[in-house]
Amino acid sequence: MKWTGDLRIYNTLVGRKEKFVPLQPGRVHMYVCGITAYDFCHIGHARSAIVFDVIYRYLLHLGYQVIYVRNFTDVDDKIINRAREEKCDPAVIAERYIAAFYEDMDRLAVLRPTHEPRASQFVAEMIEVIDILVKKGLAYQVDGDVYFAVDKFSGYGKLSKRNLDEMIAGARVAVGEKKRNPLDFALWKASKPGEPTWESPWGPGRPGWHIECSAMSSKYLGHSFDIHGGGRDLIFPHHENEIAQSEAAYGKPFARYWIHNGFVNVNQEKMSKSLGNFFTIREVLKRYPPEVLRFFVVSSHYRSPLDFSEESMAEAERGLERFYQTMAEVAERTALRSEDGAAGDAGSDEFALLQEKITNLPGLFKEAMDDDFNTAAAVGHLFDLNRAINRVVVSSKKQIKGREAAILRDGVQQIQQLGSILGLLQQTPAEFFEQLRQVRLTELGIPAEEIERLLEQRSQARKEKNWSRADEIRGMLEEKGIIVEDRPEGTRYRIKRINPGREADVN
């Protein structure tokens, strides 16, 4: 699809939606703050990664050439502290959790950005930026530390909409800090024993956190670029400080559109280790297929708070199952067989309405996504077509052939094609349901082989008309959370979720 000028983005910098006009026609430069690599990623990280992955995918879908940069912070106090606890080099900690990050993101179908720089690889570029600020009189040195002088930058607070005087009144200076102003922030930190160290004009030390993003974004995207993104928690002070140091150093507007995703709550409370409601991606994926977590995230608008709970995840799981069940049903009902007779008896009006929905879907999907990447509305349009397909399939009592079968297959294909922009619905139904089955069996702690063995024993007992033994095995399986159903086409079973209200058919 050729890029168009219909996209509108909520820009945190101006506090409203704006028409998206990139600096270079047909090209988009985007920078998103990545993780600090000191621990496993949690569901808040998952939300941010998925949100900006969808934005990246949609921009590509519109035909833009996108340079997407997402960094790794691999030099930081948290990494150093973790290394001290484990008595190892900080680089070992960073490497471990960057590798874990990739494992998590690959499972969530998050595309790799164009560039993924690490802070430790760009210290020379950071020193260059700091040196510019010092020479301009916008930063100052104190005993090997270098601080940015906030009061020298008139635009400080424009992103977070904070008043400078109020910030100063509420700020505190930590013991041992030698700032001139409590809001001044570190650009360079003098070396301490046991920490990673680089040489600089101000003595040995390491960069502060904020400076890395200014240096790396400049390296790949230039001093001014189109989109800067991250979680809402980064608006202040991180993104505010990025703007200050970058615009002070280069005298140009930094990022033009600022996109921030909302927080993740757990059962309507802020996620926190102290509250015991903190979940890593890995913990969640032990209990749900990865696509369920992704579907859960894109089913809400990226700026809205996202409430993670058993009920909301169960709803996401059921919703995704409906899509894959439709895909399976259409494949089954439109497959040609030698014994098939006439075409199905669904009304021609129904198929005409379905064809109209299929034709209209791309426009409705684009309209939703052009409205500040409204994935919730886009998913709603996919659901609407999915329901229409199901109605036609259910109302047809026979095998569906010819033009009617082609319409159904076209509908499913349309859902899959647009779903790919959201990173969804790219598995076969068999792959998804097998993944779901394995997750549920793992949750119950029952090997699939044991279930099959008991079902074979029950089948043999039924053949021998040993009904008491067959009932006994059924009872044994039910005690394990396996519900056996005998149907004309054969025996199937449902796997119960441990939590109430969460079970579904898995053959």
Side-chain angles (χ1 to χ4, degrees):
M1 181 184 294
K2 177 66 177 172
W3 60 273
T4 67
D6 298 329
L7 176 60
R8 295 178 65 80
I9 296 175
Y10 184 89
N11 187 354
T12 307
L13 188 63
V14 297
R16 65 178 182 272
K17 293 179 188 177
E18 289 187 315
K19 183 177 180 179
F20 178 63
V21 181
L23 283 166
Q24 300 176 48
R27 295 176 63 87
V28 177
H29 289 179
M30 179 169 75
Y31 185 93
V32 175
C33 289
I35 64 161
T36 299
Y38 76 102
D39 206 345
F40 291 114
C41 292
H42 53 68
I43 52 179
H45 293 125
R47 184 183 199 189
S48 186
I50 291 168
V51 162
F52 289 101
D53 180 63
V54 170
I55 290 172
Y56 180 39
R57 287 170 181 262
Y58 188 61
L59 292 170
L60 291 172
H61 172 74
L62 291 179
Y64 286 109
Q65 294 179 5
V66 184
I67 298 179
Y68 174 21
V69 181
R70 184 184 63 210
N71 73 303
F72 287 109
T73 297
D74 61 346
V75 182
D76 184 80
D77 291 340
K78 293 176 181 177
I79 298 170
I80 293 168
N81 293 337
R82 187 69 178 261
R84 284 183 182 138
E85 291 172 6
E86 299 192 17
K87 296 180 174 56
C88 66
D89 191 285
V92 173
I93 299 297
E95 286 295 333
R96 178 196 306 163
Y97 292 110
I98 288 173
F101 171 85
Y102 279 130
E103 290 173 4
D104 291 342
M105 294 303 111
D106 287 348
R107 295 185 69 188
L108 293 172
V110 172
L111 300 176
R112 300 287 174 94
T114 317
H115 303 288
E116 296 180 277
R118 301 185 184 194
S120 62
Q121 299 169 343
F122 288 83
V123 176
E125 287 81 357
M126 297 180 215
I127 291 172
E128 285 180 18
V129 181
I130 298 169
D131 194 45
I132 291 171
L133 293 169
V134 170
K135 288 176 177 175
K136 282 187 169 186
L138 302 171
Y140 57 93
Q141 177 187 359
V142 182
D143 297 336
D145 294 332
V146 181
Y147 293 98
F148 182 86
V150 166
D151 60 358
K152 298 287 184 68
F153 181 70
S154 61
Y156 197 77
K158 63 183 178 180
L159 182 69
S160 59
K161 311 297 185 291
R162 299 188 181 203
N163 178 276
L164 192 61
D165 293 335
E166 291 175 359
M167 284 191 281
I168 292 172
R172 294 181 180 179
V173 179
V175 175
E177 286 189 329
K178 302 173 183 178
K179 301 177 182 179
R180 296 175 184 170
N181 181 318
L183 292 181
D184 293 349
F185 56 89
L187 299 170
W188 187 261
K189 298 180 179 182
S191 65
K192 297 177 182 177
E195 294 188 354
T197 299
W198 289 263
E199 291 299 322
S200 81
W202 317 283
R206 61 185 174 90
W209 175 37
H210 310 297
I211 195 65
E212 67 181 72
C213 291
S214 289
M216 290 187 282
S217 62
S218 237
K219 173 72 174 180
Y220 289 107
L221 305 176
H223 301 326
S224 295
F225 56 94
D226 299 303
I227 296 173
H228 196 314
R232 281 192 61 192
D233 56 312
L234 297 180
I235 295 174
F236 187 88
H238 184 51
H239 288 167
E240 195 74 72
N241 291 351
E242 279 188 61
I243 290 174
Q245 64 202 12
S246 296
E247 296 189 357
Y250 301 118
K252 296 180 179 180
F254 185 41
R256 300 171 67 243
Y257 299 87
W258 287 83
I259 301 176
H260 294 96
N261 63 273
F263 294 118
V264 175
N265 298 321
V266 177
N267 294 316
Q268 300 182 344
E269 288 186 308
K270 183 178 179 180
M271 185 172 65
S272 166
K273 287 184 178 179
S274 62
L275 294 174
N277 64 354
F278 182 90
F279 297 102
T280 67
I281 295 172
R282 297 183 168 213
E283 289 170 332
V284 173
L285 297 190
K286 287 179 181 177
R287 306 195 53 240
Y288 300 93
E291 194 173 354
V292 171
L293 178 55
R294 186 172 181 113
F295 186 75
F296 166 67
V297 169
V298 302
S299 295
S300 295
H301 192 280
Y302 77 88
R303 284 191 288 115
S304 302
L306 184 64
D307 190 51
F308 180 90
S309 66
E310 293 293 345
E311 292 75 16
S312 58
M313 286 297 288
E315 182 180 353
E317 185 175 272
R318 288 192 294 269
L320 197 55
E321 283 184 88
R322 287 197 289 273
F323 280 109
Y324 278 107
Q325 193 60 51
T326 297
M327 289 163 60
E329 288 286 346
V330 168
E332 170 67 19
R333 296 294 297 278
T334 63
L336 294 177
R337 301 188 181 117
S338 57
E339 69 272 17
D340 289 342
D345 53 3
S348 58
D349 288 346
E350 246 181 325
F351 274 98
L353 289 172
L354 179 59
Q355 181 67 73
E356 184 179 356
K357 281 186 175 292
I358 294 168
T359 301
N360 291 339
L361 181 62
L364 292 170
F365 185 93
K366 184 178 184 301
E367 183 180 333
M369 293 297 289
D370 279 348
D371 183 16
D372 192 31
F373 309 106
N374 192 342
T375 56
V379 167
H381 293 310
L382 297 183
F383 262 127
D384 188 43
L385 178 56
N386 198 68
R387 283 191 293 267
I389 293 171
N390 274 325
R391 282 195 296 270
V392 170
V393 171
V394 168
S395 65
S396 180
K397 303 298 190 295
K398 300 176 183 177
Q399 200 71 7
I400 303 169
K401 299 192 299 181
R403 179 175 174 276
E404 294 177 345
I407 290 172
L408 288 174
R409 286 193 289 264
D410 184 39
V412 168
Q413 185 180 44
Q414 192 72 261
I415 289 172
Q416 288 179 293
Q417 286 177 347
L418 295 174
S420 70
I421 299 169
L422 306 177
L424 298 171
L425 304 171
Q426 301 307 292
Q427 301 182 81
T428 66
E431 289 170 339
F432 173 76
F433 285 112
E434 175 58 23
Q435 200 174 56
L436 188 60
R437 186 173 76 97
Q438 291 298 332
V439 167
R440 290 177 175 173
L441 289 173
T442 300
E443 186 178 17
L444 291 173
I446 304 170
E449 296 79 10
E450 181 180 348
I451 297 174
E452 296 300 332
R453 178 178 59 80
L454 288 171
L455 288 175
E456 286 177 11
Q457 290 180 11
R458 181 172 178 273
S459 178
Q460 185 61 35
R462 284 165 59 84
K463 286 179 183 177
E464 297 170 357
K465 301 189 185 301
N466 187 347
W467 308 118
S468 61
R469 175 58 179 161
D471 289 342
E472 180 186 358
I473 294 172
R474 179 197 288 271
M476 290 167 56
L477 287 166
E478 286 184 357
E479 286 179 5
K480 297 176 184 291
I482 309 299
I483 309 303
V484 179
E485 297 177 344
D486 296 312
R487 300 188 177 190
E489 65 271 18
T491 298
R492 59 185 293 175
Y493 63 88
R494 289 185 289 120
I495 305 172
K496 276 190 174 182
R497 278 290 197 185
I498 290 174
N499 294 292
R502 290 173 56 193
E503 62 178 59
D505 293 336
V506 181
N507 290 324

